[in-house]
Amino acid sequence: MTARTTGTAAPLSAPDDLTALDALALSDAIKHGVVSCREVMQEFLARIDRLNPHVNAIIALRDGDELLAEAEERDGLLRRGKYLGPMHGFPHAVKDLCDAAGLATTKGSPLLQDTIPTTDALHVQRIRDSGAIIIGKTNTPEFGLGSQTYNPVFGTTRNPYDPTRCAGGSSGGAAAALALRMLPVADGTDFMGSLRNPAAFNNVIGFRPSYGRVPEGGFIATPAVVGPMARSVADAAMLLSVMAGPDDGAPLAIEQDPAMFAEALDHDHRGTRIAWVGDFDGHLATEPGLLDLCRSSFGAFEQIGCTVEQALPAMPLAQVWETFLLWRHWLTAGALHPLYADSASRAQLKPEAVWEIEQGLRLSAHDVYRAEEMRLQWYASVQELLRRYDFILAPSAQVFPFDASVPWPREINGRPMDTYHRWMETVAPWSLTGLPVLSLPVGFDERGLPMGVQVIGRSHADLDVLRLGHAYDQVTRWPGKVQPQLP
């Protein structure tokens, strides 16, 4: 697969700082021999060595000499005329919920810290096949539960824009590493905003693709997906072109050629109509100033030809939240029950995990059936709105990055949160739909803390969402315009 050149063109001479390049420009520089894979690896490892101690984003980093040797092997392939793909020679760290052969998949739990898979997850294998060198993992909350990246194995990941604040989650390590240019692109997962919340908290891009776009096995369309993160929409689309595509082991995979994501994203958006849901007429608690900052993005959308109007789906959000909880309880209990069933391992689970499991164990078959029925009702409600509008716009979070020592916000603007994830209710409705959702940066508050908005598209319209996001990205360029300033 050939890397697209939309965005930044390949440099004519080696730049002073390879880590400053967009992923597409870096890919072209490697492909055309402007820089070597060894040089790329050296610069990224040096940057990780300097900056990672401030944020703890990349974990289980492999030996530098081994990585440089692998980079030299990639250079040897190029000399022999063998180009593996757009990630040839890229240093890449895999989110620690996903398997990478030879590296422990701890999922942030001491119960799993000695679990070393012998095979890659499908998307990781595709990344490796595209030429990337797996350098380690990115940090995540225990079992990915919660949008605050801390765990008893590796500790807390901090925000590059203010290390006293959290990086969000559960792809918090990936987002922080991207913001500090310690990785060209990153993979992540998303059940409840895990690609979107950390993107907003770190001023980067997070894309939750349609269910089945990046395939996983199973006959149930759960709210969980794998997707790309990057510092530009074009870079995210490039990574999606690598990870996506049907697979015989995934019966619900989307049967479309992922090569379309490697093409130029330029598109005319004049006449595009966007529905802004905001806080759902006050249903969602939001930190003061957050909605105003999100609304400030309207100008950029209008600049590219869109109109933005207030509009809501018909189904009450309270019913949607109940539906989401049923799915979350059911699936978490199923996945973690073996650890809960043993009293010794149960004692090592975080309280939020125990709560999810115990709620799930109380469910009846009727409850699970009702969860599916209510999800279908919500999907129909969203589809009705998308017949009137081309896209839906929503905040990516309800609070700005908060104190890194706090597990989760107990209240927002005086309103108590009744669960560990209620403060992220803004992302849950869109997870249930399985629709493509892109988190885009919208800027910073007066404290210098980032925020983002979600763009929700129609069924399987991932390319349309990316095209809209790319046009917005070309106007705003937030990740490049405001970068973290660490020592």
Side-chain angles (χ1 to χ4, degrees):
M1 186 174 294
T2 302
R4 174 200 323 110
T5 57
T6 299
T8 306
L12 297 177
S13 59
D16 293 333
D17 182 3
L18 296 175
T19 66
L21 291 176
D22 288 346
L24 285 170
L26 180 64
S27 179
D28 282 349
I30 292 171
K31 181 180 181 181
H32 295 110
V34 177
V35 298
S36 70
C37 299
R38 180 183 174 87
E39 290 171 323
V40 170
M41 184 63 72
Q42 283 178 318
E43 289 209 21
F44 274 96
L45 289 180
R47 191 166 181 86
I48 291 168
D49 183 63
R50 180 165 64 88
L51 297 179
N52 196 54
H54 295 280
V55 294
N56 190 36
I58 296 176
I59 56 175
L61 185 66
R62 293 176 55 207
D63 177 75
D65 290 339
E66 291 181 3
L67 294 172
L68 290 171
E70 289 188 27
E72 289 174 355
E73 289 176 5
R74 296 293 192 278
D75 285 327
L77 290 174
L78 286 175
R79 286 192 296 270
R80 296 192 296 274
K82 187 170 184 181
Y83 177 67
L84 297 179
M87 298 184 72
H88 192 113
F90 272 30
H92 188 85
V94 175
K95 184 177 178 180
D96 195 27
L97 294 184
C98 305
D99 286 350
L103 292 175
T105 303
T106 76
K107 301 184 180 181
S109 170
L111 298 169
L112 302 179
Q113 58 187 333
D114 297 322
T115 302
I116 301 178
T118 57
T119 58
D120 292 328
L122 177 60
H123 75 279
V124 177
Q125 183 61 59
R126 289 174 170 178
I127 288 170
R128 202 189 295 268
D129 289 346
S130 182
I133 299 168
I134 307 301
I135 66 170
K137 291 294 195 79
T138 55
N139 205 19
T140 184
E142 184 180 332
F143 297 108
L145 297 176
S147 288
Q148 216 282 51
T149 298
Y150 69 95
N151 63 66
V153 181
F154 294 108
T156 301
T157 296
R158 297 178 175 272
N159 195 296
Y161 288 92
D162 181 350
T164 70
R165 306 269 174 162
C166 72
S170 62
S171 306
L178 279 172
L180 287 171
R181 287 164 167 72
M182 295 189 292
L183 295 173
V185 290
D187 65 271
T189 62
D190 188 309
F191 189 118
M192 188 187 179
S194 292
L195 285 160
R196 294 164 281 163
N197 162 262
F201 275 21
N202 291 273
N203 189 40
V204 296
I205 311 296
F207 184 54
R208 176 192 165 89
S210 296
Y211 184 86
R213 180 69 66 189
V214 180
E216 294 189 77
F219 288 93
I220 298 174
T222 75
V225 300
V226 173
M229 304 184 79
R231 292 184 295 273
S232 76
V233 175
D235 286 353
M238 178 275 287
L239 179 54
L240 184 63
S241 76
V242 170
M243 298 195 299
D247 181 79
D248 290 342
L252 301 184
I254 296 175
E255 296 286 338
Q256 290 179 338
D257 187 351
M260 62 181 171
F261 301 114
E263 302 301 324
L265 296 176
D266 303 308
H267 189 75
D268 186 354
H269 290 94
R270 285 175 294 183
T272 297
R273 302 187 68 215
I274 301 176
W276 163 249
V277 299
D279 62 357
F280 283 81
D281 279 342
H283 176 88
L284 299 177
T286 57
E287 187 173 343
L290 188 145
L291 290 177
D292 287 338
L293 185 56
C294 290
R295 281 190 286 260
S296 72
S297 69
F298 293 2
F301 286 109
E302 291 164 357
Q303 188 174 337
I304 61 176
C306 305
T307 58
V308 185
E309 301 173 359
Q310 177 84 34
L312 295 175
M315 186 171 175
L317 201 59
Q319 293 180 23
V320 182
W321 178 246
E322 178 188 355
T323 304
F324 177 82
L325 287 181
L326 288 171
W327 277 86
R328 180 81 161 191
H329 297 334
W330 171 42
L331 294 170
T332 305
L336 299 183
H337 183 260
L339 296 176
Y340 176 87
D342 179 83
S343 59
S345 59
R346 183 191 312 168
Q348 297 186 64
L349 294 173
K350 67 191 294 186
E352 293 83 0
V354 172
W355 176 77
E356 289 278 14
I357 296 165
E358 291 180 346
Q359 294 297 315
L361 293 177
R362 295 189 182 101
L363 297 178
S364 65
H366 174 69
D367 291 326
V368 175
Y369 181 80
R370 184 164 60 93
E372 172 65 3
E373 288 291 295
M374 293 171 68
R375 186 180 182 185
L376 287 171
Q377 292 173 29
W378 169 240
Y379 184 81
S381 182
V382 173
Q383 289 302 309
E384 192 281 327
L385 184 61
L386 284 171
R387 280 190 283 272
R388 294 185 284 127
Y389 293 91
D390 301 295
F391 301 94
I392 300 170
L393 195 65
S396 292
Q398 293 165 235
V399 296
F400 290 97
F402 52 89
D403 188 334
S405 67
V406 175
W408 47 275
R410 302 288 171 162
E411 66 173 26
I412 300 176
N413 200 21
R415 287 168 59 176
M417 299 291 101
D418 57 355
T419 73
Y420 75 98
H421 43 23
R422 189 65 178 255
W423 62 279
M424 284 300 299
E425 189 174 358
T426 184
V427 296
W430 319 115
S431 296
L432 287 173
T433 65
L435 299 174
V437 189
L438 178 66
S439 182
L440 296 166
V442 296
F444 298 76
D445 72 357
E446 66 280 358
R447 300 166 295 181
L449 299 176
M451 187 41 55
V453 289
Q454 303 171 84
V455 177
I456 300 98
R458 292 170 175 156
S459 178
H460 293 184
D462 302 54
L463 185 57
D464 291 341
V465 173
L466 291 167
R467 284 171 170 167
L468 179 66
H470 174 66
Y472 172 93
D473 196 17
Q474 294 296 102
V475 170
T476 59
R477 297 189 180 276
W478 280 114
K481 187 161 53 179
V482 183
Q483 299 181 29
Q485 300 299 315
L486 290 179

